[in-house]
Amino acid sequence: MADLDLATTWFLAARAMACGGEPLSMSEEAAAGLFARAILGLDEEVCIAAKDASHMTAHTLVDCMSMASHLPRGTADQVMTGVMMVAYAAASMQPLQVRWASMLASAMEMDEDRFQRCCVNARVVASMLPAGEEAVGD
Amino acid sequence: MTDSSGNFDFLEKYDSRVAHLARQAESYVYSDPDSSLFKLRLMVETMARTLVELEQPQLVDTDLSVMLRSLQRSGLLDRRQAEHMHAIRRDGNAAVHGRDSTTPTALRRLRDGWRLSRWYARMVRRGAKVDQADFKPPVPPRTDSKSAALHAQAEALEEAAERRRHRMREALLLFGEKDDADAMRWRLRGELRALEDIAIVAGEPVVDADFVALVMAMDLEQILEHPSWGHSSSEAKASVETQFTAFKHAHAEAEEAYLRDRAALARAHRPS
């Protein structure tokens, strides 16, 4: 999968999780973004291109699930972990967030064990972030 | 010490302590940028403390970054103001910890402080019509050509660092500076609700919502008990139970709505 598609999948999936709950602080957003960039190996250019407004509005969550279903297993696990981190960074589990995690995991053809492993990883990383994490660019 | 340009005089009637700190920061901006940044940081901390006291008094004694995050989450502090506050906190901390600061940095943060002042005045006195004139950069002292060249060099460095930070933010954050985050939130929540309807009508997917909610509840309880969140076991349990109950309630309501619709449809198509 091209980097732009991966970045598009990531930003749509992470935004959906963020929008399903209470508004995130910038540091929480940045923590998830940093994780994704480091783990998914996305460079700045690709992230900025994926977040371009016209590019984003051309894609729906159904597109996101479709792209997620084509991710290699390891990459899909990383995306799922990052998405769960978005919820965990804000210690939030609103109904729409629960629904999104369920739909995305299923689109990735995960079973319950695999999903739970991603959640454990997300929890560990989220716990390592101080609650008052520095702002972006510090 | 440079004379005050009157940029913060309007603040006096809203919060004299904050106004005093801002004027001090302004007066030190050329002669002692470290002190200027320190005063600005104190000003932001005072602002945050006052606002947190109104909204979440239990967080008053916590770290500045925790208070800022809480203000942002409560909706009092939007992204732009949060960026100004974090920038002042960051550069103020650097000055406090002995990292040399420059006048261009202090001037930028002073302008950030001025932008925040108007918002702050409105926050402490809701509905107040804040009369704030345009920002007037404090008058620089006379300098020789060597100092002017050094100043220009520092300004160029500061500009490059700001550009770098901006680009990093654009790449990292889920929403860009120019994005209409509210519109995006509205759209995505609509799509999520549609997915919820599909799941109820078509049947739960393999990893069903009940299972996800259970896993998330267990994880969140552990996260909230972690020292970085600092909740007691009972607080963490109560918080997670509230969220879990809200999920169960919303889930049951959505299923009930579907059954109602289906019954209505069946009635409409029943042969008379």
Side-chain angles (χ1 to χ4, degrees):
Chain A
M1 180 181 261
D3 275 359
L4 182 61
D5 288 343
L6 177 57
T8 306
T9 310
W10 157 250
F11 278 112
L12 273 170
R15 280 182 173 192
M17 185 53 98
C19 291
E22 298 299 316
L24 285 182
S25 74
M26 277 197 302
S27 53
E28 289 158 354
E29 270 189 44
L34 196 60
F35 171 84
R37 277 202 44 208
I39 299 296
L40 298 173
L42 298 170
D43 67 30
E44 273 185 10
E45 301 295 331
V46 165
C47 289
I48 291 169
K51 281 165 59 184
D52 175 75
S54 57
H55 182 74
M56 272 284 142
T57 44
H59 292 83
T60 65
L61 293 185
V62 174
D63 296 321
C64 175
M65 287 194 289
S66 167
M67 289 189 286
S69 71
H70 291 103
L71 290 173
R73 187 185 161 108
T75 313
D77 287 0
Q78 289 166 342
V79 170
M80 193 74 226
T81 303
V83 168
M84 295 311 293
M85 240 191 83
V86 173
Y88 288 175
S92 162
M93 56 164 284
Q94 302 289 314
L96 291 178
Q97 293 180 303
V98 172
R99 172 58 63 200
W100 179 233
S102 157
M103 297 302 267
L104 188 63
S106 303
M108 290 169 168
E109 296 184 348
M110 285 188 174
D111 56 24
E112 292 181 345
D113 282 349
R114 207 174 129 205
F115 172 73
Q116 215 166 350
R117 272 198 297 277
C118 292
C119 289
V120 169
N121 290 338
R123 188 190 78 211
V124 170
V125 183
S127 303
M128 282 157 48
L129 300 167
E133 185 64 13
E134 302 278 298
V136 193
D138 284 4
Chain B
M1 196 181 281
T2 316
D3 288 330
S4 165
S5 307
N7 284 319
F8 297 97
D9 287 349
F10 78 97
L11 254 182
E12 189 64 41
K13 64 176 174 184
Y14 299 100
D15 191 328
S16 57
R17 164 94 176 127
V18 169
H20 178 65
L21 288 167
R23 281 196 295 258
Q24 279 186 315
E26 187 172 49
S27 68
Y28 293 139
V29 81
Y30 289 107
S31 59
D32 186 356
D34 283 341
S35 298
S36 176
L37 287 165
F38 172 70
K39 294 290 180 184
L40 283 169
R41 193 205 181 280
L42 205 53
M43 178 185 119
V44 162
E45 185 157 0
T46 308
M47 286 175 166
R49 202 169 285 275
T50 304
L51 294 175
V52 165
E53 223 160 38
L54 296 172
E55 294 289 317
Q56 287 176 293
Q58 76 277 12
L59 287 179
V60 163
D61 287 328
T62 55
D63 183 69
L64 175 57
S65 55
V66 176
M67 289 196 285
L68 295 186
R69 194 176 76 147
S70 146
L71 288 173
Q72 209 185 337
R73 189 172 287 157
S74 66
L76 280 182
L77 190 63
D78 73 19
R79 292 169 74 91
R80 192 162 288 271
Q81 284 128 15
E83 278 191 29
H84 296 328
M85 282 194 156
H86 277 296
I88 290 174
R89 185 189 58 82
R90 176 196 64 220
D91 291 338
N93 282 352
V96 169
H97 292 111
R99 299 192 180 186
D100 287 340
S101 313
T102 62
T103 290
T105 307
L107 268 171
R108 278 167 192 271
R109 298 295 83 87
L110 184 71
R111 192 183 281 266
D112 289 341
W114 175 81
R115 288 179 182 126
L116 283 170
S117 299
R118 186 188 174 92
W119 159 81
Y120 176 71
R122 284 201 189 125
M123 284 289 133
V124 288
R125 205 171 296 171
R126 296 284 165 98
K129 190 173 178 294
V130 181
D131 190 18
Q132 187 187 27
D134 290 343
F135 181 76
K136 292 192 292 272
V139 182
R142 287 189 184 172
T143 50
D144 55 26
S145 58
K146 193 178 166 194
S147 301
L150 277 174
H151 181 91
Q153 209 177 348
E155 175 61 37
L157 271 175
E158 182 65 28
E159 182 62 36
E162 285 283 334
R163 273 202 304 273
R164 181 79 202 100
R165 279 191 206 112
H166 183 261
R167 200 163 171 74
M168 191 186 286
R169 273 198 297 269
E170 281 296 296
L172 280 188
L173 296 178
L174 295 182
F175 299 99
E177 204 171 70
K178 290 177 194 150
D179 284 327
D180 185 345
D182 289 338
M184 177 64 75
R185 188 176 164 81
W186 182 82
R187 181 196 126 188
L188 289 177
R189 287 180 74 87
E191 287 188 48
L192 288 170
R193 281 193 203 98
L195 290 176
E196 170 93 1
D197 292 344
I198 290 168
I200 287 166
V201 174
E204 283 288 335
V206 182
V207 181
D208 69 41
D210 280 328
F211 176 77
V212 170
L214 207 58
V215 172
M216 289 180 82
M218 288 189 298
D219 284 338
L220 287 185
E221 197 170 331
Q222 291 196 42
I223 288 170
L224 288 169
E225 283 178 16
H226 191 273
S228 65
W229 280 88
H231 289 232
S232 67
S233 292
S234 56
E235 285 168 346
K237 195 162 187 267
S239 167
V240 169
E241 266 177 9
T242 305
Q243 296 199 59
F244 190 72
T245 307
F247 158 74
K248 295 293 273 183
H249 184 70
H251 197 51
E253 210 168 62
E255 285 192 5
E256 185 58 36
Y258 165 67
L259 291 175
R260 271 200 310 272
D261 289 350
R262 198 175 64 169
L265 204 62
R267 275 197 303 276
H269 287 83
R270 196 174 295 151
S272 49

